[in-house]
Amino acid sequence: MRVGVLTGGGDCPGLNAVIRGVVRKGVQEYGYDFVGFRDGWRGPLEGDTVRLDIPAVRGILPRGGTILGSSRTNPLKADNGIRRIKDNLAKLDVQALIAIGGEDTLGVAARLSGEYAVPCVGVPKTIDNDLSATDYTFGFDTAVNIATEAIDRLHTTAESHMRVLVVEVMGRHAGWIAIHSGLAGGANVILIPEQRFDVDQVCAWVTSRFRASYAPIVVVAEGAMPKDGDMVLKDGSLDSFGHVRLSGVGEWLAKEIERRTGKEARTTVLGHVQRGGTPSAFDRWLATRFGLHAIDAVHEGDFGTMVALRGTDIVRVPLADATAKLKTVDPKLYAEVGVFFG
């Protein structure tokens, strides 16, 4: 059997570990041949491939990014996209496809598998940790560690100048990175997309912190919104999946805090640094296990599924269920960490 592998959407620490796990077990135990598709769904759409064998995956475990490249190409919007993918898979004699990605990439895989009989197995990837079918996605732990280290470092400069520092982290619809890194880093305010925030309340928490002779750190997810306003957008452009570009709420909030409190405020936008570089030990472990179980699913013909973490076990769930809804922060969890605000 020849198996195709692709990585779609944003890059993420641990992608190479999945590829390595798939290829090592697939070659050594099942005798499969592998082909990598370049740049996400663009690869099968255009027939752009690279050979994957054991020498090709040596040494890639600690590397960030993806050796296959990635993109946000949406084949469902391309002219004759489905037909082109099926034709290219047939020409290349690819009999199964492993798609590694988040909501959008796996949503395409679910459609291909369910409606068009393309044999697909999914692997969940997103630093946002917002796929409801799995307890954790790889890439999340690395992003939280990077954000936490940044917050730790910013405490010292905030206290040196006695100013407010607003730290904007990633999180379009889910505040998992914000709440984990904010709590671990000792932030005084954490703002997430699931709970609209009151700017006056934020300013009250900031003022309270100054009264205790400490400089406040405010962690805000890029998708967080004020009660009286809309989402702050970088611009109005959309990607091929219809998503607007976020970022800007941190700068906007810092200006509001400075205007309302009279305290100097600065913004740090962590941006893509959260998903770049060497994956953490946990993400290498989880991504490797996902890869091993994904090729098992292919071998058993269990297509239309996604591998997922439940407790300490790797299980399989229907791809359609995996992308049906996002996993968001429970209000009870947000209330739990509120004791540290102010």
Side-chain angles (χ1 to χ4, degrees):
M1 177 182 283
R2 172 172 285 182
V3 180
V5 182
L6 66 85
T7 55
D11 62 296
C12 177
L15 285 167
N16 288 322
V18 180
I19 298 168
R20 173 178 173 269
V22 166
V23 173
R24 285 288 297 270
K25 188 168 188 178
V27 171
Q28 291 175 198
E29 294 200 11
Y30 300 134
Y32 291 164
D33 186 30
F34 289 90
V35 60
F37 286 104
R38 296 182 188 272
D39 304 333
W41 287 111
R42 187 192 68 79
L45 193 64
E46 300 180 5
D48 190 357
T49 65
V50 58
R51 180 173 174 76
L52 281 181
D53 52 19
I54 288 180
V57 300
R58 286 199 182 111
I60 68 172
L61 177 63
R63 285 176 56 182
T66 165
I67 62 170
L68 297 178
S70 190
S71 73
R72 297 193 183 277
T73 301
N74 184 354
L76 301 178
K77 291 189 175 180
D79 290 339
N80 298 314
I82 303 301
R83 174 51 54 195
R84 288 162 60 189
I85 286 177
K86 296 186 76 170
D87 287 347
N88 284 327
L89 293 180
K91 288 176 185 177
L92 294 165
D93 194 29
V94 172
Q95 297 156 281
L97 191 60
I98 295 177
I100 311 166
E103 176 192 8
D104 297 325
T105 300
L106 297 182
V108 172
R111 291 278 305 276
L112 286 175
S113 183
E115 298 178 31
Y116 302 103
V118 177
C120 293
V121 170
V123 178
K125 169 243 62 167
T126 168
I127 66 168
D128 290 337
N129 197 40
D130 58 1
L131 289 176
S132 61
T134 183
D135 289 351
Y136 286 98
T137 55
F138 70 87
F140 172 68
D141 184 70
T142 303
V144 169
N145 287 339
I146 291 169
T148 300
E149 182 181 355
I151 295 166
D152 286 345
R153 292 176 180 274
L154 290 169
H155 273 291
T156 59
T157 189
E159 291 168 7
S160 295
H161 297 276
M162 289 305 289
R163 62 167 59 127
V164 185
L165 278 180
V166 178
V167 184
E168 183 183 301
V169 299
M170 284 184 167
R172 177 179 294 272
H173 301 297
W176 292 110
I177 295 176
I179 200 166
H180 277 248
S181 64
L183 182 62
N188 313 112
V189 182
I190 302 171
L191 307 175
I192 61 176
E194 294 87 341
Q195 300 277 338
R196 284 182 174 260
F197 62 87
D198 184 333
V199 180
D200 287 334
Q201 178 62 74
V202 173
C203 291
W205 284 325
V206 165
T207 302
S208 173
R209 184 70 173 177
F210 276 119
R211 281 200 295 264
S213 298
Y214 286 98
I217 298 285
V218 178
V219 174
V220 57
E222 62 186 356
M225 292 182 287
K227 283 185 176 179
D228 302 319
D230 298 319
M231 185 179 288
V232 179
L233 305 178
K234 193 159 192 168
D235 58 49
S237 62
L238 304 177
D239 66 18
S240 62
F241 287 95
H243 301 309
V244 294
R245 294 178 62 196
L246 300 185
S247 187
V249 65
E251 189 68 33
W252 176 86
L253 183 59
K255 291 178 181 177
E256 286 296 310
I257 291 172
E258 189 167 295
R259 182 177 68 83
R260 299 187 190 203
T261 67
K263 300 293 186 179
E264 188 178 8
R266 293 289 185 270
T267 306
T268 297
V269 180
L270 296 185
H272 292 84
V273 71
Q274 293 160 91
R275 69 187 196 198
T278 301
S280 67
F282 178 81
D283 280 339
R284 298 184 204 189
W285 174 87
L286 180 59
T288 298
R289 292 190 70 202
F290 276 161
L292 298 176
H293 283 261
I295 195 60
D296 285 344
V298 169
H299 182 67
E300 295 169 18
D302 196 5
F303 299 115
T305 62
M306 181 192 83
V307 293
L309 180 69
R310 296 283 175 84
T312 58
D313 296 328
I314 306 295
V315 300
R316 298 174 197 163
V317 298
L319 267 170
D321 293 348
T323 58
K325 65 177 182 178
L326 294 179
K327 179 178 65 181
T328 55
V329 176
D330 190 309
K332 291 181 181 178
L333 177 59
Y334 188 64
E336 185 179 299
V337 304
V339 67
F340 296 106
F341 294 0

